[in-house]
Amino acid sequence: MKFISKVFWGLICLLFVVSTLLILTGNSYIFKAVANTYLLGRSGPSIDEKDIFSSRKIDKGVHQPWEESANINSQEINEKYLKEFDKYGTIAFLVIKKGEIISEQYWGEYNNSSLTNSFSIAKTVVSILVGIAIKEGNIRSVDDPVGKYLPAYNEGKNSELTIRHLLTMSSGINFDEDYTNPFAYPAKAYYGNDLRKLTANYRVTEEPGTVFKYLSGNTQILQQVLKEATGMEISQYASEKLWKPIGAGQDAFWNLDHEDGNEKAYCCIYSNVRDFARLGQLYLKKGKWNGNQIVPRKYAIQSVVPAQLIEEDGPQNNRYGYSWWMFNYNDQDIFYARGILGQYIIVIPDEEMVVVRLGHKRSKVPGAKHPADVFTYIDAALTLK
């Protein structure tokens, strides 16, 4: 009994020491991370965490409902695809062709009004907002130096940084994009409470505009640029210039680092599958919605063209533009937005098709340029008429 008592009090002392060190070193966010992952039986974030963070609303305007095909859901998805859907925890699958919903399915407790986390689809939304800010005259061009809006980027190598470099993930900033290290930028940004202070700790250390290196902090800097350029919080700007004009059906919510704080621009917009699909339809139509050119046509087109960069391992970049991913599949040029747990907005221009898949996870193949499951959703959609 004495041994057990010693072990118990030893553990208590150890926890006290570790907790004190975390607080003293500015890493107290670890407590929130552990409470919302390991203590809930998970090793990472969930699609249903809207209410554990503060958020800012993206107000909807007048709803413009989707047209539904007379034959909606008349074809069942092939069983071989449904097995893959189940494997990766699909919760929603929506296919729109020529502006009409032709297939729409949900799993579990989810439905067409369920709000779930976009994760890195938010990066694409920020890119869209940059295009709108250019149209509105708030930003002159993607080649504006970041220092024009943020004085901290007027010094040293930081002064070489442009908006284009942030959009194309070629900033040369020394962000540590490690999703397994609890002390790296992604975990600190997600669970911490001061994004501006955190992001300011990183600097341009390599030549910008040369190498494609996916870094969430790049988009967080764009949040600051947009706020300075427009004089509005990006949630408010998104509401007025994007969400209302495209006729979203529901208010969306953008998680913040703290109450009345900064949007987690690199992730964390909560919306539903039908409203996410509007973003794909907007770019399918090259920035136009029902005759209204919301995003400059030239900007929208350039967004889905691979940026002139090289990959870290040497070859030419052929998969990333202005915060949109892309590839050629079966002789079709396809572009898409994606989130880390298998959130996809897929645009297939030759078919006039937008496919949205939401779920709990995605395939992870080391070294792969794209998640393998994205091709399953494309194949499944293309079998539908």
Side-chain angles (χ1 to χ4, degrees), residues 348-363:
I348 311 173
D350 288 350
E351 302 291 335
E352 295 185 61
M353 185 176 282
V354 176
V355 181
V356 182
R357 183 273 182 183
L358 306 177
H360 291 288
K361 56 185 177 179
R362 73 182 190 195
S363 67

Side-chain angles (χ1 to χ4, degrees), residues 81-101:
Y81 300 128
L82 289 177
K83 288 180 180 179
E84 290 293 296
F85 283 31
D86 182 64
K87 178 180 178 180
Y88 295 110
T90 300
I91 66 163
F93 186 69
L94 175 69
V95 182
I96 295 167
K97 187 167 185 177
K98 296 182 179 178
E100 292 184 341
I101 297 176

Side-chain angles (χ1 to χ4, degrees), residues 140-165:
R140 186 183 62 83
S141 84
V142 295
D143 293 313
D144 277 0
V146 173
K148 178 179 178 180
Y149 307 94
L150 306 175
Y153 291 89
N154 280 322
E155 304 170 1
K157 287 191 73 65
N158 277 1
S159 64
E160 300 175 23
L161 189 66
T162 69
I163 290 172
R164 184 191 299 273
H165 299 146

Side-chain angles (χ1 to χ4, degrees), residues 56 223 227 231-238 260-263:
R56 188 170 285 124
Q223 176 265 339
K227 183 174 181 177
M232 300 172 68
E233 305 290 357
I234 63 170
S235 295
Q236 297 166 342
Y237 195 69
D260 297 323
N262 299 292
E263 288 87 351

